[in-house]
């Protein structure tokens, strides 16, 4: 008995070492992506410093972004089609044994094409590439050590979580993401659960302490009075409906882009890249991921009409960027959309309730978690991710209430988790039936 227990402890320790290696690799890969994109994203300033902000600059920016988007989409289409968009649904498919993890292709393609798409100005988040990169690092290490199916799945999940930790420097939310988002696929055990935590810790350590590139979204928010919670209930209902609409438009956009791409493969990224490239000069608030806009908006006083106009434009550019066939995530665009919406609604409420204090900023923070929750349908991740990013722990209760109501609203409106729908769409296009769908069909029969 003692020998078996000792062997078990040895296997756990070896797995923990592999998880640590995955965390370091994911952190290094995510940090390299972040630093490279930050360096290349200086091109609009370089351009305007030389030719100004006029028509020539707009045309040049449109051409630059279009070339980058087309090149990114072409690399993905030629070498690893599964690297398009976010990597989350691909990771979930891998954990279910329905999608292969071709890490030899995904690693270089996700990095190179991701750098091009994120640097072009498209409205995408870096968490999509970093999650897929982290999972691919885990896949490489699993193949190297010839791990069994359960250990391999556990390590891939740890790599995906570590990739998210590298993107947002939010290790706790990343651990919860695996538990809540991949609850059906994750091979839960003491060993795999601890492996996820180890990978996230080391990924965040590499990202923050070594490279110093952790995102800075710290927002100072005063505690809100308890009677104002009813306002956050209303905010959650609005954001919940918005999340369902966002998911619907994303899926419709993917179908439209796929139909166009069958006849004209480069047309969608060319047009979308050119339009967003022009907006980089004309209306930069409508372009890029981008967490920096949240800080700018929170720190300034803008009219609700202006904020809602930014929301409308970014809603379109976010969907268009994702369906263009390039690598990129939706987390960062969702957070920015939500923050601007919350600021606008909070500003309107403050007019009628001047004694409520700085409600607009509190609404912005709560809306971030709520829109994530309504789209991804992972409410606890939405709460923790928002608080880790902003440090606004003073409004934990309002954020929790808003995310709860957003999740219920999304459910009542018939919304489903976006990554679940994206995986189903991927499997359908590949001619693969999901096991649950087969079981439902058999039951009906």
């Amino acid at each position: 008995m003692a020998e078996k227990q000792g062997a078990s402890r040895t296997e756990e320790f070896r797995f923990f070492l592999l998880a640590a290696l995955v965390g370091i690799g994911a952190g290094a890969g995510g940090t390299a992506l972040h630093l490279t994109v930050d360096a290349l994203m200086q091109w609009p300033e370089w351009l305007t410093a030389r030719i100004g902000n006029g028509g020539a600059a707009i045309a040049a920016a449109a051409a630059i972004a279009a070339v980058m988007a087309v090149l990114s989409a072409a690399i993905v289409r030629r070498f690893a089609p599964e690297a398009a968009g976010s990597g989350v649904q691909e990771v979930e498919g891998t954990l279910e044994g329905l999608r292969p993890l071709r890490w030899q292709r995904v690693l270089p393609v996700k990095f190179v094409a991701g750098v091009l798409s994120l640097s072009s100005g498209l409205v995408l988040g870096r968490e999509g590439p970093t999650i897929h990169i982290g999972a691919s690092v885990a896949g490489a290490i699993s193949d190297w050590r010839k791990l069994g199916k359960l250990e391999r799945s556990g390590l891939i999940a740890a790599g995906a979580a570590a990739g998210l930790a590298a993107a947002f420097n939010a290790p706790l939310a990343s651990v919860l993401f695996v538990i809540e988002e991949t609850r059906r696929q994750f091979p839960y055990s003491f060993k795999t659960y601890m492996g996820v935590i180890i990978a996230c810790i080391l990924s965040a350590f590499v990202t923050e302490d070594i490279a110093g590139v952790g995102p800075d979204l710290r927002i100072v928010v005063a505690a809100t009075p308890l009677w104002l919670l009813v306002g956050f209930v209303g905010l959650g209902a609005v954001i919940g409906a918005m999340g369902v609409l966002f998911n619907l438009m994303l899926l419709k956009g993917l179908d439209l882009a796929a139909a166009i791409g069958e006849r004209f493969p480069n047309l969608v990224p060319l047009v979308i890249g050119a339009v967003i490239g022009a907006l980089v000069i004309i209306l930069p608030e409508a372009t890029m991921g981008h967490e920096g806009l949240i800080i700018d908006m929170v720190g300034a006083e803008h009219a609700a009409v202006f904020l809602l106009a930014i929301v409308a434009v970014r809603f379109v550019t976010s969907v268009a960027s994702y369906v263009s066939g390039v690598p990129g995530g939706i987390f960062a665009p969702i957070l920015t959309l939500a923050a601007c919406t919350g600021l606008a609604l909070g500003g309107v409420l403050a007019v009628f309730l001047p004694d409520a204090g700085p409600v607009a900023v509190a609404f912005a923070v709560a809306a971030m978690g709520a829109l994530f929750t309504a789209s991804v349908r992972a409410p606890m991740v939405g709460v923790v991710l928002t608080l880790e990013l902003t440090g606004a722990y003073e409004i934990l209760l309002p954020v929790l209430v808003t995310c709860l109501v957003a999740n219920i609203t999304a459910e009542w409106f018939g919304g489903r988790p976006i990554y679940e729908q994206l995986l189903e769409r991927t499997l359908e296009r590949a001619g693969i039936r999901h096991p649950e769908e087969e079981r439902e069909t058999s039951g009906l029969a």
Side-chain angles (χ1 to χ4, degrees):
M1 183 70 178
E3 290 181 2
K4 288 183 179 180
Q5 190 176 30
S8 175
R9 294 292 178 264
T10 301
E11 290 178 3
E12 288 175 352
F13 182 70
R14 288 174 178 169
F15 185 82
F16 295 159
L17 288 178
L18 294 179
L21 190 59
V22 167
I24 293 170
T31 299
L33 179 78
H34 189 171
L35 291 174
T36 305
V37 170
D38 281 353
L40 292 178
M41 202 56 234
Q42 302 303 313
W43 68 262
E45 288 79 6
W46 178 89
L47 183 67
T48 55
R50 282 156 179 77
I51 60 176
N53 295 308
I58 294 171
I64 291 171
V67 169
M68 295 175 80
V70 168
L71 185 56
S72 177
I75 292 172
V76 167
R77 190 168 58 248
R78 173 67 177 84
F79 298 104
E82 66 268 36
S86 174
V88 177
Q89 71 272 19
E90 288 291 337
V91 173
E92 291 183 0
T94 297
L95 295 179
E96 290 194 64
L98 301 172
R99 296 289 292 169
L101 179 58
R102 302 189 301 169
W103 58 265
Q104 300 94 330
R105 290 172 175 258
V106 170
L107 264 175
V109 169
K110 203 77 176 188
F111 187 91
V112 174
V115 165
L116 287 168
S117 60
L118 295 173
S119 303
S120 68
L122 292 178
V123 186
L124 296 166
R126 61 180 177 273
E127 77 288 336
T130 58
I131 287 172
H132 217 171
I133 287 171
S136 297
V137 168
I141 293 174
S142 297
D143 291 350
W144 166 53
R145 298 302 301 169
K146 296 181 172 58
L147 298 182
K149 181 180 178 181
L150 291 180
E151 284 191 327
R152 185 175 189 270
S153 294
L155 204 63
I156 288 172
L164 179 57
F168 287 128
N169 190 25
L172 180 56
S174 301
V175 173
L176 286 176
F177 182 75
V178 166
I179 303 306
E180 196 168 29
E181 171 62 24
T182 66
R183 58 192 178 278
R184 293 188 310 174
Q185 302 92 358
F186 181 63
Y188 186 89
S189 69
F190 171 78
K191 180 167 63 176
T192 55
Y193 186 31
M194 293 302 103
V196 169
I197 296 175
I198 290 168
C200 288
I201 289 173
L202 285 171
S203 177
F205 176 79
V206 170
T207 302
E208 183 177 3
D209 293 333
I210 295 179
V213 295
D216 186 9
L217 279 182
R218 188 161 299 279
I219 299 173
V220 178
V221 184
T224 57
L226 289 177
W227 61 265
L228 195 59
L229 284 178
V230 66
F232 289 93
V233 171
L235 175 66
V238 172
I239 297 295
M242 183 178 178
V244 174
L245 178 62
F246 181 83
N247 288 2
L248 176 64
M249 296 307 296
L250 202 67
L251 293 167
K252 295 292 186 183
L254 284 168
D255 290 340
L256 177 61
I260 296 172
E262 288 178 0
R263 296 190 61 187
F264 309 102
N266 294 317
L267 181 60
V268 172
L270 177 68
V271 172
I272 292 172
V275 171
I276 292 181
L279 287 174
V280 167
I281 305 298
I282 300 170
L283 187 65
E285 294 88 350
T287 64
M288 295 174 276
H290 75 46
E291 303 94 81
L293 180 62
I294 297 175
I295 298 297
D296 294 340
M297 290 295 182
V298 168
E301 292 187 6
H302 293 290
V305 173
F306 172 78
L307 290 168
L308 292 176
I310 294 297
V311 169
V313 176
R314 284 190 67 88
F315 194 102
V316 175
T317 56
S318 297
V319 171
S321 296
Y322 190 87
V323 308
S324 63
V326 302
I330 60 173
F331 287 9
I334 278 177
L335 296 176
T336 308
L337 265 177
C340 291
T341 304
L343 282 173
L345 297 179
V348 172
L349 183 62
V351 173
F352 297 98
L353 298 173
D355 296 332
V359 65
V361 177
F363 263 41
V365 173
M368 289 165 60
L371 188 54
F372 177 94
T373 295
S375 176
V376 181
R377 303 303 299 280
M380 294 312 300
V381 179
V383 172
V384 175
L385 178 63
T386 299
L387 297 180
E388 276 193 292
L389 282 175
T390 63
Y393 294 98
E394 297 84 355
I395 58 168
L396 168 60
L397 187 57
V399 172
L400 190 58
V401 167
T402 311
C403 290
L404 169 69
V405 175
N407 198 43
I408 292 173
T409 301
E411 178 71 20
W412 287 357
F413 271 95
R416 296 174 56 217
I418 184 59
Y419 294 120
E420 182 179 299
Q421 296 182 79
L422 289 173
L423 176 58
E424 288 176 359
R425 182 180 181 278
T426 299
L427 295 177
E428 182 181 348
R429 292 179 65 83
I432 301 171
R433 296 194 69 185
H434 196 283
E436 285 197 359
E437 183 183 346
E438 292 183 354
R439 282 194 294 269
E440 290 176 3
T441 304
S442 299
L444 290 173

